[in-house]
Amino acid sequence: MSTAAKGLEGVVAAETEMSFIDGEKGVLEYVGIAIDPLARHSTFEETVFLLWNKRLPKADELAAFSKDLRSNYGLSKETKRLIALMPTSAQPMHVLRTIVSSLALDDPDPNSTDRSAVQAKGLRILAQAPAIVAAFDRHRRGLEIIEPDSSLSFAANFLWLLNGEKPTDTMERAFDACMILHADHGLNASTFACRVIISTLSDIYSAITGAIGALRGPLHGGANEGVMVALNEVGSVGEVEDFVMGKLKRKERIMGFGHRVYKAYDPRATYLKTLAKQLAEDTGNAELYEKSSRVEQIMEREVAAKGIYPNVDFYSATTYHSIGLKLDLFTPMFALSRIAGWTGHALEQLDANRLIRPKADYVGPHDKPYVSMDKR
Ligand code: SDX
């Protein structure tokens, strides 16, 4: 009988000083600060500083950090050429994974695992990821690539690069809050993938490339796209009940619900729900929010007793749609933010590294003879 913990459920595989999660109470803190006040009052740039330095920055430190981040916004001409070679039919998450991996090619010292070098490389990847996603989206639409504007925040710069116009304060604030909410979350699958790779003393480009691959899965970061697909399938609010009950009856997963750790409301969904409602109403997407809210009501009635509640992906779908993002850009948004958490975990892993190498329970046969081909 195997003793393996399926999916490593409940296994503590690392220590971290970045995210504290209490799954039973629905608590998330970044370095001890609750996620809700951070989402309401901080900025993504300040949150990245907090995660990497384990404390809030002073004003001059934040200014210096933002300047460093923004000075890395621009893509090299080789990277732009590579993006221009991407098939316009390619999926944005596959493009992001491919181009992030290629950033190692013009780094004169790509393999360094020196802490300050890894942080600088992580900052470069974080700074350039928005430009990679936006440049590919404009490429597939047959539009010119837009140059970044280093006077803009991380959130505003992405929306500028994507649309060619400066976002409204409301849009910038909403997107910035989404970036804060997605930045780090303990040892989730993509973060674990990142730590496994860096624990071999491989490079940060490989670690973040592997993490992007893990995040794309529909059981993880890909769920926000799945939420939107489901909401689009439901014609109207009145049809939600039949839609949800049909899926539950067929034992199909409702994307955006349930969580390996949270058996209570995901505290990130609380703020995202208010953001989604406000943005949906401001942008003529009120019915989309109503459908989401109706799905939540039915899921609460049917499965809340099993500890299945909305997770971060459920209301981020309505939020991203209301900001005007295309469906297949939702998961890349998750990645843009989580590069901060992945880099932070890579640094923590390197600070006290030990190769991550669990065991597997062998459950196959023993003492089998080798049978030559003519006797098989
Ligand atoms: C993220 O780990 C993280 O921190 C991830 C994340 C982060 O910030 O990095 O928080 C981001 O990935 C959030 C999760 C996004 N994924 C989805 O929304 C996909 C839909 N949800 C699931 O498939 C599921 O809830 C998981 C994968 C998220 C967690 O599943 P577990 O812990 O493996 O639980 P399970 O599959 O064993 O389910 C337990 C029971 C089952 O019922 P029974 O077989 O016991 O009768 O709950 C049911 C499941 O069928 N269930 C669901 C459900 N999720 C679980 N039923 C319907 N819809 C769902 N969404």
Side-chain angles (χ1 to χ4, degrees):
M1 174 62 180
S2 169
T3 56
K6 285 261 178 288
L8 296 185
E9 182 153 13
V11 171
V12 176
E15 288 181 355
T16 181
E17 295 175 57
M18 289 190 289
S19 296
F20 167 71
I21 303 168
D22 181 328
E24 295 307 318
K25 296 196 186 97
V27 171
L28 171 62
E29 295 169 347
Y30 288 170
V31 196
I33 304 173
I35 192 65
D36 204 77
L38 273 172
R40 292 177 196 277
H41 308 305
S42 183
T43 64
F44 179 61
E45 293 172 10
E46 180 177 76
T47 300
V48 178
F49 185 101
L50 170 68
L51 290 170
W52 293 1
N53 297 283
K54 309 295 190 292
R55 63 176 175 82
L56 288 171
K58 293 188 177 58
D60 60 334
E61 292 173 315
L62 181 57
F65 183 75
S66 291
K67 187 163 178 279
D68 194 4
L69 179 76
R70 299 179 188 193
S71 66
N72 279 280
Y73 278 168
L75 301 177
S76 69
K77 62 180 188 312
E78 292 77 15
T79 298
K80 289 177 192 169
R81 272 216 302 272
L82 206 47
I83 292 170
L85 289 173
M86 296 290 117
T88 53
S89 59
Q91 292 175 22
M93 276 297 276
H94 291 301
V95 172
L96 180 61
R97 189 196 65 236
T98 304
I99 304 298
V100 162
S101 181
S102 78
L103 294 180
L105 306 181
D106 67 355
D107 180 333
D109 181 19
N111 302 330
S112 172
T113 51
D114 163 76
R115 181 181 229 282
S116 56
V118 168
Q119 182 165 323
K121 296 171 195 299
L123 184 87
R124 176 178 175 237
I125 297 167
L126 179 69
Q128 297 193 8
I132 292 167
V133 174
F136 171 68
D137 185 56
R138 293 186 69 84
H139 160 63
R140 68 176 175 177
R141 287 188 281 155
L143 300 174
E144 286 297 307
I145 288 182
I146 290 173
E147 288 307 315
D149 180 340
S150 57
S151 70
L152 298 177
S153 68
F154 182 92
N157 179 55
F158 172 68
L159 296 173
W160 156 249
L161 290 169
L162 194 67
N163 304 320
E165 56 191 42
K166 307 290 168 57
T168 63
D169 290 350
T170 308
M171 290 293 179
E172 176 183 3
R173 189 71 209 90
F175 189 67
D176 193 65
C178 287
M179 293 294 104
I180 294 170
L181 291 164
H182 286 82
D184 190 53
H185 204 250
L187 210 54
N188 57 84
S190 54
T191 297
F192 186 59
C194 174
R195 286 189 83 135
V196 168
I197 295 168
I198 210 79
S199 82
T200 71
L201 296 186
S202 184
D203 60 286
I204 188 69
Y205 297 98
S206 300
I208 290 180
T209 300
I212 293 171
L215 185 76
R216 198 196 64 73
L219 292 187
H220 188 12
N224 56 18
E225 189 173 325
V227 172
M228 198 67 220
V229 168
L231 292 171
N232 285 338
E233 276 172 31
V234 185
S236 67
V237 179
E239 295 163 69
V240 169
E241 172 100 25
D242 288 347
F243 179 80
V244 172
M245 296 309 288
K247 275 188 161 297
L248 292 176
K249 209 165 279 133
R250 295 189 298 273
K251 294 291 274 176
E252 290 171 14
R253 301 295 167 99
I254 312 285
M255 294 291 112
F257 281 83
H259 199 277
R260 174 60 58 80
V261 179
Y262 289 123
K263 301 312 169 192
Y265 213 96
D266 183 331
R268 299 168 294 179
T270 310
Y271 188 59
L272 274 168
K273 181 174 182 176
T274 54
L275 211 49
K277 182 172 186 344
Q278 183 208 326
L279 276 175
E281 286 165 359
D282 293 353
T283 56
N285 291 292
E287 192 192 20
L288 182 64
Y289 175 78
E290 291 315 318
K291 283 197 265 186
S292 303
S293 174
R294 185 77 185 112
V295 171
E296 182 183 351
Q297 284 165 5
I298 295 156
M299 288 294 277
E300 184 177 8
R301 182 191 73 207
E302 295 296 322
V303 294
K306 284 172 72 176
I308 299 169
Y309 291 88
N311 59 50
V312 68
D313 291 302
F314 187 62
Y315 284 108
S316 60
T318 300
T319 304
Y320 288 148
H321 178 81
S322 301
I323 287 176
L325 295 173
K326 276 187 225 57
L327 186 59
D328 64 6
L329 294 184
F330 286 16
T331 306
M333 294 309 99
F334 197 145
L336 291 196
S337 168
R338 192 53 60 88
I339 291 168
W342 294 331
T343 301
H345 278 270
L347 293 170
E348 288 191 339
Q349 182 67 34
L350 289 170
D351 285 345
N353 191 39
R354 182 153 172 68
L355 178 70
I356 296 175
R357 199 276 186 219
K359 290 172 69 176
D361 241 355
Y362 177 73
V363 292
H366 290 284
D367 306 324
K368 302 272 283 181
Y370 179 77
V371 181
S372 58
M373 186 59 80
D374 61 326
K375 292 193 174 63
R376 286 178 203 166

